[in-house]
Amino acid sequence: MQKITVLSGGVGGARFLRGLLHGLRTGLVPGGDATTEVTVVANTADDLWVHGLKVCPDLDTVMYTLGDGIDLERGWGRRDETWHVKEELAAYGVEPTWFGLGDRDVATHLVRTQMLEAGYPLSAVTEALCRRWQPGVRLLPMTDDRVETHVAVPDEGSPSGQRVVHFQEYWVRLRAAVPALAVVPVGLAESAPAPGVLEALTETDVVVLPPSNPVVSLGTVLGVPGVRDALRRSPAPVVGLSPVVGRDHVHGMARQVLTAIGVEVSAGAVARHHGARSGTGTDGVPGVLDAWLVDTRDADEVAGVEAAGIAARAVPLMMTDLDATAAMAVAALDLVGVR
Ligand code: GDP
Ligand code: CA
């Protein structure tokens, strides 16, 4: 095996990638080693402009995690972070005050914003930022175009009974504590895959969907026009790992956004939502999966996934440490016979 392509959100995807790279470096992954090329296609629909800066939370989480700059306890942002810029902005009374803009992190956003304003596409900016971080993967944004996930939330004061907030506001300010009524990826249908994305899906030995959020992370990557088609015609097998364990998400807000789109919160339902490559997913969209791992405590879901034309197996899916996470990657590759 020479090439692996992984679609990714932020924290869940980055943790999986850390375990995968650990497995490749230490020989835990049969058929792979430190020379195996890993390409990551990351979600950019969480991106936002804040205080004039372009922030790309999922790209940065992957870059910092794999480049050993992450705050491992928080799971996002820089280690040894300080918050003076944020405090000073709050002292000026400028909004938003809820976004966690750390001092070290600000440098990344300054470099990115300057490069974007000079005319470089996000993919080129990401490549430049990765020259410092050396994440050990080729990190591609899903698109160079602006896409933003918005979430409709209840609002008694509004005539429609709801209002729409940016995904980051739903997650960071509202802490996903109110129901998500709808999830709207603004700009997604008009976006184009970033350079290298379609090739990464077709010119590879395997494509992995890690346990990232199936709606607001993988759902948006899969929704970039051309991505689903490339996966459908790729000669490489496509295998996914469930982000839902024991009928809930492990961290984050998969439960809220799955409910918003009318998908049951279970490992099997998420697989059927993505759909078999030989068939269709939810709402008749062309399916993308050949195989799907569920956690051992969801072993009773295996038969229902297989009935949908997707190979399935139950293995431990908790990313508790690097070895456990590498073992998940090994099980995923084994299920599709990739060595
Ligand atoms: P985000 O962009 O930071 O929200 O990160 P991702 O979309 O990449 O991943 C979030 C998803 O990771 C959540 O839906 C979690 O359920 C899932 N997740 C986090 N930790 C684990 C774990 O240890 N095991 C599994 N199976 N899923 C996990
Ligand atoms: Ca995210």
Side-chain angles (χ1 to χ4, degrees), residues 8-11 43 45-46 57-58 61 167-168 171 213 216-217 253:
S8 179
V11 179
N43 173 47
D46 295 4
D58 288 359
T61 297
F167 170 79
Q168 292 296 339
W171 176 227
N213 189 302
V216 294
S217 294
M253 54 22 243

Side-chain angles (χ1 to χ4, degrees), residues 166-193:
H166 188 287
F167 170 79
Q168 292 296 339
E169 187 170 352
Y170 181 70
W171 176 227
V172 182
R173 190 173 78 80
L174 301 175
R175 299 185 189 281
V178 297
L181 304 173
V183 179
V184 186
V186 179
L188 187 61
E190 296 76 42
S191 68

Side-chain angles (χ1 to χ4, degrees), residues 67-103:
D68 199 24
I70 199 83
D71 183 310
L72 270 175
E73 237 158 73
R74 256 199 333 262
W76 57 270
R78 293 277 283 108
R79 189 163 50 222
D80 303 326
E81 188 58 285
T82 53
W83 305 92
H84 302 294
V85 171
K86 188 174 188 244
E87 285 159 21
E88 291 295 314
L89 287 165
Y92 282 111
V94 290
E95 293 289 335
T97 49
W98 48 263
F99 192 77
L101 204 56
D103 300 335

Side-chain angles (χ1 to χ4, degrees), residues 311-325:
R313 193 178 290 167
V315 298
L317 284 190
M318 296 304 284
M319 299 189 281
T320 43
D321 58 47
L322 288 175
D323 282 345
T325 311

Side-chain angles (χ1 to χ4, degrees), residues 187-236:
L188 187 61
E190 296 76 42
S191 68
V197 166
L198 298 184
E199 293 79 357
L201 301 174
T202 53
E203 293 162 28
T204 182
D205 297 309
V206 60
V207 179
V208 182
L209 274 58
S212 281
N213 189 302
V215 183
V216 294
S217 294
L218 300 184
T220 42
V221 176
L222 293 169
V224 176
V227 164
R228 206 174 272 279
D229 284 350
L231 276 176
R232 296 272 292 182
R233 63 184 153 78
S234 178

Side-chain angles (χ1 to χ4, degrees), residues 43-285:
N43 173 47
T44 57
D46 295 4
D47 295 7
L48 74 167
W49 285 88
V50 57
H51 303 298
L53 300 176
K54 174 77 165 180
V55 180
C56 303
D58 288 359
L59 282 172
D60 288 349
T61 297
V62 172
M63 185 173 79
Y64 292 158
T65 300
L66 302 183
D68 199 24
I70 199 83
D71 183 310
L72 270 175
E73 237 158 73
R74 256 199 333 262
W76 57 270
R78 293 277 283 108
R79 189 163 50 222
D80 303 326
E81 188 58 285
T82 53
W83 305 92
H84 302 294
V85 171
K86 188 174 188 244
E87 285 159 21
E88 291 295 314
L89 287 165
Y92 282 111
V94 290
E95 293 289 335
T97 49
W98 48 263
F99 192 77
L101 204 56
D103 300 335
R104 290 182 188 278
D105 204 22
V106 161
T108 303
H109 310 320
L110 282 168
V111 175
R112 174 184 291 126
T113 306
Q114 269 183 328
M115 285 188 73
L116 287 172
E117 281 173 358
Y120 291 95
L122 183 61
S123 47
V125 176
T126 304
E127 195 180 334
L129 293 170
C130 285
R131 256 178 246 135
R132 169 184 173 195
W133 289 104
Q134 297 289 316
V137 300
R138 194 160 63 107
L139 179 58
L140 307 176
M142 66 186 198
T143 180
D144 281 332
D145 299 323
R146 183 167 176 171
V147 177
E148 278 185 12
T149 298
H150 291 183
V151 180
V153 296
D155 181 3
E156 283 172 12
S158 127
S160 65
Q162 46 178 272
R163 74 192 163 98
V164 169
V165 297
H166 188 287
F167 170 79
Q168 292 296 339
E169 187 170 352
Y170 181 70
W171 176 227
V172 182
R173 190 173 78 80
L174 301 175
R175 299 185 189 281
V178 297
L181 304 173
V183 179
V184 186
V186 179
L188 187 61
E190 296 76 42
S191 68
V197 166
L198 298 184
E199 293 79 357
L201 301 174
T202 53
E203 293 162 28
T204 182
D205 297 309
V206 60
V207 179
V208 182
L209 274 58
S212 281
N213 189 302
V215 183
V216 294
S217 294
L218 300 184
T220 42
V221 176
L222 293 169
V224 176
V227 164
R228 206 174 272 279
D229 284 350
L231 276 176
R232 296 272 292 182
R233 63 184 153 78
S234 178
V238 182
V239 55
L241 298 90
S242 179
V244 171
V245 172
R247 302 205 159 240
D248 202 356
H249 52 233
V250 180
H251 301 287
M253 54 22 243
R255 175 169 36 80
Q256 290 88 324
V257 290
L258 282 167
T259 305
I261 63 163
V263 173
E264 178 195 294
V265 186
S266 75
V270 174
R272 291 187 293 275
H273 167 66
H274 289 314
R277 262 214 298 185
S278 54
T280 54
T282 305
D283 300 332
V285 294

